[in-house]
Amino acid sequence: MSTKKLESALSPAHAEPLYKQIKRLIAEKIEKGTWTAGDKIPTELSLVDELKASRMTVNRALRELTQEGILVRRQGSGTFVAPSKLETGFLEIRNIADDIAARGHEHSCQVLMLEKVIPSVTVAHLMERAETEYVFHSLCLHLENGAPIQLEDRHVNPDLVPDFLNQDFSQQTTGGYLLDNVPYTHADHKISAITPTEDQTRWLSLSPAEPVLVLERQTHCAEGVITAVRLYHPSSRYEFGGTFIPHRGTQKGDKGV
């Protein structure tokens, strides 16, 4: 938690409105690293007293910074510097632990479930299996520097990955294990934003009414579906991104699609 003050006075005579001056002062603190992601900033009343501004002016500045994703206001806790949004590609299948390490951060994982189950009709359809055939199921919470960034709900084909339940996924990610052991030919993806369940809200430390970004993926090989996974991410600190490079044929008359 940061206890540093803004250490700057506002200028009512300045052409810039007071609320914009407050926004700029706070943004400069964050840009310079004085206040970093997760730091609790001074309370609204403290800023009113320190800056000699009206509460309405301070409130507007904080409200707009929150809307812009620079601050996060948590009911009953205060206002905090928002984490930088984490960007990941969604067309390429990658190990989340490698992505986190590439950012110079520490990955950790909590294995919430690891079991053999009879799947729902929906999951059986995704896995291309009969409704009476069991599958392996894992539920893992991935954290970056101790902050939850992904809830992974995965179903795995036991015929293709028979040793799945025997792994320690607190040390190696499920995705990393599958990439190392079962070559895939292609994958289907879908992204959506949904209202989380109470459990998802708790596990991902979501703010009230915050939606989750969901990546659904089915990964295939010649023998069938290897895995179907739903990856849930906090919308306030995660975004998908990537680069698309079209295939260019070498023969005359080839066209990109």
Side-chain angles (χ1 to χ4, degrees):
M1 178 186 298
S2 175
T3 58
K4 297 182 177 65
K5 295 185 177 182
L6 288 177
E7 300 173 352
S8 181
L10 302 180
S11 174
H14 197 283
E16 185 179 42
L18 290 180
Y19 80 91
K20 287 190 175 181
Q21 293 183 50
I22 296 173
K23 289 178 62 178
R24 177 172 48 78
L25 291 174
I26 293 174
E28 286 176 353
K29 282 283 190 181
I30 297 171
E31 289 171 3
K32 292 177 181 178
T34 306
W35 294 346
T36 60
D39 279 349
K40 184 176 181 178
I41 74 167
T43 65
E44 188 174 297
L45 289 177
S46 296
L47 292 174
V48 167
D49 182 63
E50 179 184 347
L51 299 173
K52 310 304 180 187
S54 72
R55 186 164 186 176
M56 182 180 298
T57 299
V58 172
N59 180 271
R60 179 173 179 178
L62 297 181
R63 186 174 69 250
E64 290 195 4
L65 287 170
T66 300
Q67 293 170 344
E68 294 166 11
I70 296 172
L71 299 177
V72 175
R73 307 186 81 172
R74 298 173 184 163
Q75 187 173 4
S77 299
T79 303
F80 299 80
V81 178
S84 298
K85 286 196 173 185
L86 308 171
E87 179 178 311
T88 185
F90 59 90
L91 295 180
E92 179 184 2
I93 299 178
R94 301 191 301 220
N95 184 348
I96 187 172
D98 293 341
D99 283 346
I100 291 174
R103 292 191 283 268
H105 296 168
E106 181 181 354
H107 168 266
S108 58
C109 177
Q110 297 176 12
V111 181
L112 305 175
M113 292 182 189
L114 189 59
E115 58 188 352
K116 181 171 71 174
V117 299
I118 298 296
S120 66
V121 174
T122 299
V123 172
H125 176 73
L126 291 174
M127 297 294 295
E128 299 179 357
R129 295 175 67 83
E131 296 175 17
T132 56
E133 292 183 294
Y134 72 85
V135 298
F136 296 147
H137 174 237
S138 62
L139 185 66
C140 298
L141 182 64
H142 297 281
L143 302 97
E144 180 165 357
N145 289 346
I149 62 165
Q150 184 186 92
L151 180 65
E152 173 199 308
D153 191 352
R154 183 183 297 276
H155 291 87
V156 174
N157 188 329
D159 297 335
L160 300 176
V161 200
D163 293 329
F164 184 78
L165 294 185
N166 298 325
Q167 309 308 310
D168 182 359
F169 291 123
S170 65
Q171 301 301 313
Q172 179 184 24
T173 66
T174 62
Y177 174 76
L178 293 173
L179 286 171
D180 289 343
N181 290 276
V182 192
Y184 70 95
T185 57
H186 66 284
D188 302 316
H189 304 82
K190 184 173 74 172
I191 295 177
S192 58
I194 66 170
T195 301
T197 65
E198 290 185 5
D199 284 340
Q200 291 165 355
T201 297
R202 183 178 72 256
W203 284 325
L204 290 170
S205 298
L206 303 177
S207 58
E210 179 180 351
V212 287
L213 298 175
V214 186
L215 170 60
E216 298 177 66
R217 175 188 289 142
Q218 290 82 49
T219 308
H220 305 254
C221 67
E223 290 77 23
V225 177
I226 303 167
T227 181
V229 63
R230 289 169 63 90
L231 306 173
Y232 301 86
H233 310 86
S235 61
S236 64
R237 55 183 186 272
Y238 207 95
E239 63 185 12
F240 292 104
T243 301
F244 174 71
I245 302 175
H247 172 72
R248 300 187 184 277
T250 58
Q251 306 212 3
K252 186 176 180 180
D254 284 350
K255 296 182 179 179
V257 178

